[in-house]
Amino acid sequence: MIHVFYEDCSLSGKQHEDVVSKMSQVVENEGFKEGNLSVVFCSDTYLLEINKAHLDHDYYTDILTFSYNENNLINGDLFISVDRLKENAEVNNVEFLNELSRVVIHGVLHLCGYNDKTPEEITLMREKESDYLKRICFT
């Protein structure tokens, strides 16, 4: 089950409903079962405080993913900065919904065990993001 929350920001329901509903398809396509997933849309300020408190990082980011997986069951929290999404979409000259979709996929892939620390991991993550954007028609 996927739960959506808002902290210190707002989004039109239509902007995220379809994207969030398709998270299950990524989980299933990666060979897992969906457990309890939370997506928390928030501001830069809110996410920065979480980043400092839990990861000791003092910088803005578009998403933080916390995994509570149990065996083949995907459980976790995705904290997504709406401020970062808007800025990244503008900088990269893409639609907001496209950036939202990419970041949600990115977070789900982290929950499925993918990392993005090494150049090889980053390449694989980007390839999977692009593939899911096309295959599942997020945008």
Side-chain angles (χ1 to χ4, degrees):
M1 178 165 276
I2 300 171
H3 306 278
V4 177
F5 302 95
Y6 297 91
E7 293 293 340
D8 199 18
C9 79
S10 63
L11 259 185
S12 161
K14 293 293 181 196
Q15 285 182 305
H16 75 269
E17 285 176 0
D18 190 46
V19 172
V20 170
S21 72
K22 291 180 180 178
M23 289 171 61
S24 303
Q25 290 176 281
V26 176
V27 170
E28 183 179 317
N29 284 327
E30 290 298 323
F32 295 95
K33 294 187 187 281
E34 180 185 308
N36 287 311
L37 298 170
S38 295
V39 179
V40 182
F41 292 104
C42 57
S43 67
D44 269 348
T45 304
Y46 188 88
L47 194 54
L48 179 61
E49 290 307 312
I50 293 172
N51 209 6
K52 288 178 184 177
H54 295 281
L55 301 175
D56 202 27
H57 296 162
D58 190 8
Y59 54 81
Y60 294 117
T61 187
D62 51 5
I63 186 169
L64 289 177
T65 306
F66 296 95
S67 175
Y68 316 110
N69 294 344
E70 298 174 9
N71 301 316
N72 205 38
L73 194 63
I74 298 293
N75 299 292
D77 299 322
L78 304 179
F79 289 86
I80 299 173
S81 169
V82 174
D83 297 327
R84 284 298 97 214
L85 294 180
K86 288 177 182 175
E87 185 171 311
N88 290 345
E90 187 175 312
V91 166
N92 295 313
N93 198 31
V94 298
E95 295 292 324
F96 175 81
L97 187 56
N98 183 277
E99 183 64 10
L100 170 61
S101 300
R102 185 193 64 75
V103 169
V104 167
I105 292 167
H106 184 90
V108 173
L109 289 171
H110 273 305
L111 291 175
C112 292
Y114 294 93
N115 292 309
D116 55 1
K117 301 292 183 201
T118 69
E120 295 81 13
E121 291 172 340
I122 291 169
T123 298
L124 178 59
M125 181 74 84
R126 295 292 176 257
E127 287 172 357
K128 287 203 155 279
E129 288 170 10
S130 295
D131 182 52
Y132 280 119
L133 281 169
K134 291 177 200 162
R135 272 198 305 149
I136 299 179
C137 302
F138 272 87
T139 56

